[in-house]
Every structure is written in C-alpha cells, then in structure tokens.
Amino acid sequence: MSFPINIKSILPHIIAVVSIIIAAFLYCAPVLKGKEIVQNDIINHKAQSHELKTLKDEGIKTLWTSRVFGGMTVFNIGAEFDYDIMNGIRVSLLRPFPAGVNIIILSCLGFYILLIMFGVNPYVALISAIAYGLSSNLLSSIAAGHNTKIISIAFMAPAIGATILAYRGKLFMGALLTALFSGLLVSASHYQIVYYFILISVVGGITHLVYAIKQHELNRFIKTAGILIVAGIIGFLPSFSKVYNIYEHNKETIRGSKKFLAEESSTKPGGLDKSYAMSWSHGILESFSVVIPTFMGGASAEELPDNGEVSKLVGGPKKGRPLVAPTYIGDQPFLQGVIYFGAAFIFLFFLSLFVVDQRIKIWMLSIIALSFFMAWGRHFSVFTDLLFDYLPMYNKFRTPSMALCIAGIAIPFMGILGLNEIISGKVDELAFKKAFKNTLYITGGLITMLLLYGLVNDWIGPKDAALQAKAPWNNPSLFEALLADRKALYLRDWGVGATIMVIMASLIWFQRKGRLSLTVMLPVLILIFVGDMWRVSKRYMNDDTFVTPKEFKGQFEPNPADKVVLQDPDPHHRVINLTRNPWTDAMTSYHHENVGGHHPAKIQRYQDMIENHLSTQVQMINQAIVQTPDGRLSMNPQISKQMTAYNMLNAKYLIVKNEAGGVVSNPTACGNAWFVSEIKKVSTDREEMDAVGQIDPMQTAIVHQQFADDLYSYEFGKDASANVRLTSFDRPDVLKYESNNAQAGLAVFSEVIYTNGWKAFIDDNPAEIYRVNYLLRAMKVPAGKHVIEMRFEPDSYALGERVSLAGTSMFLLLVGGFIFMIYRNQKSLASSENA
C-alpha cells in the first residue's frame, strides 16, 4: 500500500525549511568563508573533555576524568550512553550544519512546527519562526556557548504544541509528538529547561482540568492527561541512563549533597546555596527590556554611537574598531546579551488577548506570569523563597532569569495565533474593532510611559560608583558623556520599537479592511520581524564571534609553561595554574590534571576544600616562591610544607607565568599514595576540615568518627622503606599500585573520595575504601607486598543502560504503532472507495 504525497500541501513546508537554513547561514555568514564560532563555554567543555576524546579515539570509554577538580565523573562532561535513540536523533539533526548555524536552524524549526500545529499560515509561521530563532535572548546564549540550553528551548516549543494538540482532540498524534519532542528535550541534557517544561505541562493540565469539570468532560480529560503522561515517560526513558547517572552524581555535588560544614549538617537539605542560586535574578523593572532592549542600558558592554558624546571626546573610534563601553545599569553580575522579545511580537501579544481561544489564553498567561515571577528571583522573594524552600527540585537550579525562556516562547506564540485569527477572517468585525482599539490604548500607553522613562532617567547604575573609580571613567566629562550615550541608545531603540508598533497596527488595519493583500503584507512582516531581531542580536553575536580554524585550534596549543610540565614522564600528578582564576579555569584541563576547573556541579567536599583551604593557601604559594641566583623560580619547602591541601592532592607543579621559566615545582607534594604513621580522630566534619591545615599529611590521616569501628582500633604502622607506588595509569578510571610494608598499614591516596562507583581490590580481593582528610581515599593494607587496584564501575551506569534500552524499544513500538494505524486507515479508505 502506497502513501500518497500531496506536493502542493508540503511545498510551503519545504520552502520554510530551505528558507530557515538560508537565513541561518546568512546570519552566520563567516562560516561560508570557513570560519568557526567561538563560544566560551564550548571552549571550556572541549578543554575539560579532551581526555575523554583522546581515550575514545583509542577505543576506551571512561566514566571518570582526572582533569577536573582533582577528579570527577564525566556524566555532566561527555559520558557516552549506548541506547539513547533520542540522543541519536538530536545529533543527526545538528550534525549536517556548522556549529551555531545548526542551533539557529533548530530554534526556528521548533517554533515553526509549534505554529503549524495550530494551523497558522505557513508563510506567516516562517517569518515569525525566523524572527524568533534570531532573537537576542537565544543568540547571546549561543555566542556564550550555552548550547544545551538553547537546543532544549528549541525542542520545548513543539513539545508544548504537542500537548495542546492532544487536549484539542488529536490524541494519538499529540501523544506521539509529545513522546518525540519531550524525549529530544530531555536528551539535550539541560534539566532546568526540562523542569520548566514540566511546570508548563502541569499548569496546562490544571487549566484543562478546570474546563473539563465545568463542561462535564472529566473522563475525557483523565484519558488525555493519562496518555500524555505515558507518552512523556516513553519519551524520557531512552535518556534514562544519563538522567539517572547525573542524579546519582549530583547527590555528592553542590547541587544535591547535604552541606557538611553547615550547622546541624545532618538535617541541612541538599541543593544550591540560595544567594548563589539567585545571583542572576532579573530585575522587576528590567523586564521592560523585552519591549525596548536598552531599557537597562543593554548588555554589560555595548557599542556606542559613532557620533555619540564619548566618541566626540575621545576623537572617534580607533583603527576602525567600534567604541565599546559599560552600558548595563541593572544589578545582575553581568549580561552577555539582553532578553528582547521584539516590538512586533509585543504588539501582537496584546492584540491576541482579545481574540485567542480562552483556554489557550489562560494557559499561556499563567505560564507567562510564572515565568516573570521566577525570573525576578531575589527581587520577588516572597514568591521565589517559597519555590526554593518547598517546590521539589527547584533548589537544584540557578540563574532565575533563565525562566524568561518560557515567556520568550509564549508571548510570540500568542501574538502569532492572534494575527492568524485576524488575517484568516475568524474574528468578526465587531470583535476586531474592539480588540484593535484596546490594543492601541495599551500599546500607546506603554510606549508613552517608556518614552517618559527614557527622558527622565539619570542612566546611572549600581555598578557606576566602582566604574568611576577606574580610568578612563574617573574623568567626570567622559562619564557624563557615557550617560548621554546610554540615553541616546535607549531613545534610538525606543524610536524603532514605536515605529514597528505603528507599522504593525497599520498592516493589520489595512489588511482587515481589504486594502492590503497578504502577499504584499508578507515582505513588510519580514522587515519588521526579522529585521528588528537581526539588528539587536548582531550586537551580541556578529562576525567578530567567528575565527579561522587556525585561530580556533590555536586556543588549545600548549604554551611554553605547559610544554615544560608535559616533559615530566610521571603520568599522574596535578597542576595549579595561577595565571588564571583556578576555580573557573577549564583550559588547564586540556593538557594537565587540574587542581582547579570550571563546572557548576562540583563535588561538595571539593568545593568545601576550595573555600576553606585551597583558596586561602594561594597566599602561602606567593610567599613560598623564591628566585634562585640563576633566575629560576623555586619554592621554599618550609613554607610549601604548610600547603597541606595542595600537597595531599599531589599538586606537583604550579604555573605562575605562561613561559618556560614560569613553572615551579612543589617539593612537598605527597605523591600518588603513601603510608601514614598515625591518625587524628575527629567528631565532626568541621573538625575534620579544620584539621587539614594542622597536620603533616605524609604522617597523619584525619579520620572522622563515622569510620571509628573500622579504623580507630586498627593497629598499623610503617617501616623505614614502606611505600605505595602507582604502577599503571593508562586510563583515569583504573588505578593500579604496588605496596610494600613489613607491617599492616593505612594507605592514603591523593584521589578525591566519591562513594558511588569506586571499587577497590587487594590482590584481586574486594577491599574497603575509607574517607580521610575530609576529601581523600584510604585503605587498610595487610603487611607484605600487594597489588592494589581501584576501578570506577558505578552500578547506576549498568542499571541506567538497561532501562534506556527498554525505553528506546518502547518508543520504536509507539512509532511502529503509529505507522500501522496510518497504513490501516489508508487501506480502509481504499477499500471503501473500491466498494
């Protein structure tokens, strides 16, 4: 049985896909010249996952890396999962196109599919989808390298549409698409966006439940909601292995572990510190930036006008480079780019409030309000504190402003639905006139208010006091010129926004009155939708974001200091790079085992060690470094011996300059493993942490009373030649040692403790791993010569892979069932036609 294809019906969609691809390439035009996008977070990821890639090229799959924060799992860094079909689909969608281009295409397509699900004119859907995909809130995140976030948002749009389809009666199609798009959303691995999608779905379910009760359709609602839940589970299960292993990993990280050093730590719940989680809270007034992008001045650094006041004072741009200055006057730490929804979308959103289906409107308005309330974070603590303290899992996430991605979909979606209702003639004349008039009142009042704001605002921000203390802004005339330029930038954007709203209103009015055909209207829509988004987003992701392949690769080339360290044949030692901020330093991980790193889900105990010893002992490093008569740098061993945290982590080298002479060897690094002579007993985690700075780790191990039964009465010692020697380090998840001690001994290893997965063996017999020194591993080793092995084999991985295989099988069965239904329906239709 063949399935007939109606070329006429699919042609607009083919045109849409091709147009979206062309638009993405045009925006990222440098890729046509062979250039590559530079994304800071992706650069960091490539650096920290380099060890994994190297091993993969050798045919080795590992779940542990030695390169980040002394060692951690790779579940958040680049672990491979074999049975996730959703991951395969997602990669297949992204792989054909260059980085950056592919995410823009996916964002546009996701929004286009959402609109097509609701019968929006394909060409209107195409224009608005391109505008949405080029919005600054998406592209500034792409420029920063927040790829998983934007890919997740791209899939969230059609996933929302799929659930609405099911509630609107297209149950099986809605369920299948819900499974597909929610599964792709989960596979992208940005679980904060997944969390938002779940909240959206819950709000939608409540909305439809209320209507079902009112309309006596409760049975239908229960059936639909149940099928959608099952579909969501089927979509989720292929990615179960990754989600589950990240969940298990997070139990020991700052996102899930209890706070060991807090008072009454045994009852302190896991999750992020509230002040840390709320640091990127979107200001309440700052929300107007969705209408005028420079409402708060713009991003942390914006290009100033060529003919502006600063330009006049400094003599214009130098060497053809634009003048860039601090323009942001909000209180977030910094902004890569602004969250701007577009003046045209905003106008249409207000219009849609009077013409869109009531049920959809209530759902969308509810999630828009929720989006802003969550984004305000600490500025709306009466609400967000309740969420943080009581809403399950909410305290695992940071950056409240990210919640605006919900409104970023819902507002344009509502606006285009409203536009489609009007141009398709579904709104009668009386209703149209009322809606149009009310929209003019609202938008006119809004634009007038925003103009007054721009005129009376002093354009001084909370960071300007610090700014004025530094050159060149300590020049009063130059600072006043900056304020004038901030105002000019705002008024320019205000003028563009007001003009777009007037044009949008005129188009709708004349089209409705029959004086303007849709064919003539479409090019103008391209100009005001796509053109507006293009001009704003180019401030944050432009040609300067791209570099040649040689320049891209050059970022990872070892500098002279790296080359000196790499000459050491010792395969397993750590490096602290003081030419960077160690605790946000990913680049060192490309070549070395890094004491530092860059990761939002650090192991909690390691974070505690950073805050209590590693950060403070940096001052000791500065005091310990001395210059020898021949000009070389070395360390005073009397001072370096006090660097107990670095010593016990085997920080063998310190990089203080990016030159050959900038590498300092640490003479008191403890090595890979050693026997101790005694233990220091402590009762609390705080005592254990404090004791780290008071011991000689080569002689003493700090043992918490948690291990009293096994270690407090353990009789051990070490002879003069006792040693534990690393014999094999071919991969970071397998460590092999040889020990030699005439007495039973307590061996300490310079390895970070992690309870879920590390297994130890002595002469192939299972052995216990204990925690000592707050952070390290230790083992009881019998007298004599022995072979010790540690292997990272988490049970969670094997379980996760089995569930993912079952989930992939279930999804394929669902797709097969859908194909069979189409086949059966086509066969029934053919039989009835032949009868």
Side-chain angles (χ1 to χ4, degrees):
M1 172 66 92
S2 62
F3 300 108
I5 298 176
N6 187 335
I7 297 297
K8 186 176 180 180
S9 65
I10 67 170
L11 182 60
H13 306 310
I14 294 173
I15 293 173
V17 172
V18 172
S19 299
I20 285 170
I21 292 171
I22 292 172
F25 271 100
L26 288 176
Y27 189 91
C28 303
V31 302
L32 300 172
K33 300 177 183 178
K35 290 189 174 184
E36 301 177 44
I37 188 171
V38 176
Q39 303 165 285
N40 187 58
D41 275 20
I42 299 304
I43 297 298
N44 288 336
H45 171 74
K46 286 181 179 291
Q48 295 192 146
S49 62
H50 180 65
E51 180 182 48
L52 274 69
K53 184 180 183 303
T54 301
L55 291 169
K56 181 182 176 181
D57 293 342
E58 297 172 1
I60 299 173
K61 181 168 72 173
T62 177
L63 301 175
W64 186 267
T65 179
S66 64
R67 299 288 180 91
V68 185
F69 291 118
M72 64 185 293
T73 75
V74 300
F75 296 129
N76 277 306
I77 296 176
E80 288 195 347
F81 300 90
D82 297 329
Y83 303 112
D84 185 356
I85 190 174
M86 295 299 177
N87 183 67
I89 295 171
R90 178 177 53 82
V91 171
S92 298
L93 291 171
L94 292 167
R95 185 171 289 160
F97 304 102
V101 174
N102 52 7
I103 303 177
I104 293 174
I105 292 172
L106 210 59
S107 298
C108 295
L109 285 176
F111 196 70
Y112 177 80
I113 292 170
L114 169 62
L115 295 177
I116 292 302
M117 287 177 178
F118 289 85
V120 173
N121 178 285
Y123 298 106
V124 174
L126 168 60
I127 294 169
S128 53
I130 293 175
Y132 169 80
L134 295 181
S135 60
S136 62
N137 38 308
L138 299 182
L139 294 196
S140 61
S141 290
I142 294 175
H146 303 160
N147 290 4
T148 59
K149 180 178 83 172
I150 305 306
I151 293 169
S152 298
I153 294 171
F155 289 125
M156 184 164 70
I160 293 170
T163 61
I164 300 175
L165 269 186
Y167 282 119
R168 288 162 66 98
K170 298 182 179 180
L171 186 54
F172 197 82
M173 174 65 79
L176 176 65
L177 293 178
T178 296
L180 173 63
F181 290 119
S182 65
L184 291 171
L185 166 58
V186 173
S187 79
S189 303
H190 199 290
Y191 301 117
Q192 190 163 349
I193 304 300
V194 176
Y195 191 82
Y196 292 156
F197 173 67
I198 293 172
L199 290 180
I200 292 168
S201 301
V202 169
V203 172
I206 293 171
T207 303
H208 283 82
L209 173 60
V210 171
Y211 272 88
I213 293 173
K214 286 183 178 180
Q215 299 172 2
H216 307 289
E217 296 178 347
L218 190 57
N219 289 337
R220 179 183 175 187
F221 167 80
I222 293 172
K223 176 183 177 183
T224 303
I227 289 176
L228 283 175
I229 290 171
V230 171
I233 292 172
I234 291 175
F236 158 72
L237 284 177
S239 300
F240 176 84
S241 188
K242 185 170 187 177
V243 176
Y244 178 56
N245 280 283
I246 288 176
Y247 168 76
E248 288 295 311
H249 165 79
N250 281 350
K251 288 180 179 179
E252 301 194 35
T253 74
I254 61 175
R255 291 191 168 179
S257 172
K258 69 178 183 179
K259 309 305 180 187
F260 302 107
L261 301 182
E263 294 182 9
E264 301 179 4
S265 61
S266 62
T267 60
K268 181 75 174 178
L272 297 174
D273 177 76
K274 187 179 294 185
S275 61
Y276 171 71
M278 295 292 165
S279 57
W280 261 273
S281 295
H282 205 261
I284 295 176
L285 277 179
E286 193 171 352
S287 301
F288 284 107
S289 66
V290 304
V291 185
I292 307 294
T294 44
F295 184 85
M296 280 290 172
S300 292
E302 293 265 2
E303 182 179 332
L304 299 180
D306 288 343
N307 60 347
E309 298 303 313
V310 171
S311 179
K312 292 174 184 177
L313 281 179
V314 301
K318 306 298 183 183
K319 298 180 181 180
R321 303 292 295 178
L323 289 172
V324 176
T327 52
Y328 178 59
I329 60 171
D331 64 356
Q332 295 188 66
F334 65 86
L335 283 188
Q336 179 87 13
V338 299
I339 297 176
Y340 173 59
F341 293 166
F345 281 132
I346 295 295
F347 180 87
L348 292 176
F349 166 70
F350 286 119
L351 181 62
S352 73
L353 296 178
F354 305 100
V355 299
V356 168
D357 175 75
Q358 190 75 3
R359 194 177 308 195
I360 297 297
K361 180 171 67 177
I362 291 175
W363 184 356
M364 292 298 109
L365 285 177
S366 298
I367 64 173
I368 289 168
L370 180 63
S371 175
F372 278 100
F373 291 167
M374 291 192 298
W376 292 340
R378 56 188 170 83
H379 302 296
F380 194 37
S381 58
V382 67
F383 177 76
T384 53
D385 281 358
L386 287 174
L387 298 185
F388 196 86
D389 293 334
Y390 299 107
L391 188 64
M393 303 295 291
Y394 191 77
N395 64 356
K396 311 299 181 186
F397 305 115
R398 63 191 184 112
T399 315
S401 60
M402 197 184 301
L404 286 177
C405 71
I406 300 172
I409 293 173
I411 287 177
F413 170 60
M414 280 273 289
I416 297 304
L417 279 189
L419 176 63
N420 193 69
E421 290 289 300
I422 291 170
I423 64 176
S424 63
K426 295 179 181 178
V427 180
D428 64 48
E429 189 64 21
L430 184 62
F432 167 73
K433 286 182 177 179
K434 181 179 179 182
F436 191 76
K437 180 177 68 173
N438 289 337
T439 302
L440 290 181
Y441 288 154
I442 294 171
T443 55
L446 175 63
I447 283 296
T448 302
M449 180 187 71
L450 292 175
L451 174 60
L452 293 174
Y453 162 84
L455 293 174
V456 303
N457 191 15
D458 61 14
W459 294 101
I460 296 176
K463 297 180 177 63
D464 282 343
L467 183 66
Q468 288 179 274
K470 300 181 294 184
W473 307 111
N474 55 357
N475 179 332
S477 297
L478 192 61
F479 180 72
E480 288 298 323
L482 174 62
L483 300 183
D485 281 351
R486 287 174 178 171
K487 181 176 181 178
L489 289 173
Y490 175 81
L491 292 177
R492 181 188 66 185
D493 278 346
W494 178 90
V496 173
T499 301
I500 287 173
M501 289 189 179
V502 170
I503 294 173
M504 194 73 246
S506 301
L507 288 176
I508 293 172
W509 178 262
F510 286 115
Q511 196 278 335
R512 179 71 186 198
K513 295 303 179 181
R515 300 177 188 176
L516 183 69
S517 68
L518 183 60
T519 304
V520 176
M521 186 179 181
L522 290 176
V524 185
L525 291 179
I526 293 174
L527 179 64
I528 63 174
F529 274 105
V530 180
D532 183 37
M533 292 302 196
W534 191 293
R535 76 175 181 94
V536 175
S537 295
K538 277 295 183 180
R539 301 171 188 176
Y540 314 115
M541 180 176 167
N542 49 46
D543 290 1
D544 293 338
T545 316
F546 298 83
V547 298
T548 65
K550 182 178 179 181
E551 291 171 323
F552 188 89
K553 185 178 180 181
Q555 299 173 97
F556 303 104
E557 292 296 326
N559 60 43
D562 293 324
K563 292 177 181 178
V564 170
V565 176
L566 291 172
Q567 291 174 2
D568 190 334
D570 178 3
H572 189 34
H573 59 262
R574 297 191 178 92
V575 171
I576 179 72
N577 188 347
L578 299 180
T579 68
R580 302 170 177 268
N581 179 345
W583 321 124
T584 59
D585 168 33
M587 297 305 292
T588 301
S589 302
Y590 191 90
H591 298 291
H592 313 294
E593 295 177 331
N594 194 359
V595 173
H598 180 81
H599 204 282
K602 295 187 287 293
I603 292 173
Q604 180 66 56
R605 288 188 175 276
Y606 205 94
Q607 178 65 31
D608 293 342
M609 190 62 67
I610 290 172
E611 293 174 357
N612 288 269
H613 290 294
L614 292 172
S615 290
T616 58
Q617 289 181 9
V618 167
Q619 301 305 316
M620 293 183 188
I621 293 174
N622 295 331
Q623 298 170 15
I625 295 176
V626 295
Q627 192 169 31
T628 61
D630 59 0
R632 292 182 298 107
L633 297 177
S634 65
M635 296 193 74
N636 181 336
Q638 296 304 313
I639 299 179
S640 67
K641 194 172 184 180
Q642 300 173 41
M643 297 161 36
T644 50
Y646 286 98
N647 293 335
M648 72 183 196
L649 284 169
N650 194 25
K652 190 175 181 180
Y653 294 103
L654 298 85
I655 299 176
V656 296
K657 298 179 183 178
N658 290 323
E659 54 190 52
V663 178
V664 185
S665 178
N666 178 11
T668 52
C670 293
N672 300 121
W674 58 95
F675 284 112
V676 293
S677 302
E678 61 180 8
I679 63 171
K680 179 178 177 63
K681 302 173 183 178
V682 294
S683 301
T684 67
D685 290 297
R686 171 48 67 188
E687 288 179 18
E688 188 176 6
M689 174 61 78
D690 291 344
V692 168
Q694 302 167 2
I695 62 165
D696 177 356
M698 292 293 290
Q699 301 299 323
T700 306
I702 310 162
V703 180
H704 192 282
Q705 67 176 3
Q706 173 185 350
F707 306 102
D709 292 345
D710 288 330
L711 296 182
Y712 279 11
S713 60
Y714 175 52
E715 295 183 2
F716 65 92
K718 65 175 182 176
D719 61 42
S721 60
N723 67 86
V724 186
R725 183 173 61 89
L726 181 72
T727 59
S728 175
F729 187 71
D730 296 329
R731 48 190 297 172
D733 58 346
V734 179
L735 304 169
K736 294 182 180 180
Y737 307 83
E738 287 182 356
S739 70
N740 187 3
N741 189 358
Q743 307 174 53
L746 181 64
V748 176
F749 302 84
S750 62
E751 302 299 327
V752 176
I753 190 73
Y754 185 83
T755 60
N756 178 32
W758 276 105
K759 299 173 182 178
F761 304 87
I762 298 177
D763 299 330
D764 293 327
N765 297 312
E768 191 75 21
I769 297 176
Y770 303 97
R771 187 190 78 242
V772 298
N773 299 1
Y774 194 82
L775 186 63
L776 301 186
R777 305 175 206 166
M779 291 174 60
K780 296 192 294 188
V781 181
K785 293 183 178 181
H786 301 282
V787 174
I788 301 171
E789 184 174 5
M790 292 186 191
R791 298 198 296 263
F792 186 59
E793 298 173 343
D795 296 335
S796 60
Y797 183 77
L799 172 61
E801 289 293 84
R802 289 195 294 270
V803 175
S804 285
L805 177 59
T808 290
S809 301
M810 293 170 66
F811 177 74
L812 291 175
L813 286 173
L814 179 62
V815 173
F818 181 73
I819 294 173
F820 175 75
M821 284 184 64
I822 294 176
Y823 172 81
R824 188 179 63 181
N825 291 340
Q826 289 286 337
K827 188 173 181 180
S828 298
L829 181 62
S831 297
S832 63
E833 289 175 350
N834 293 331

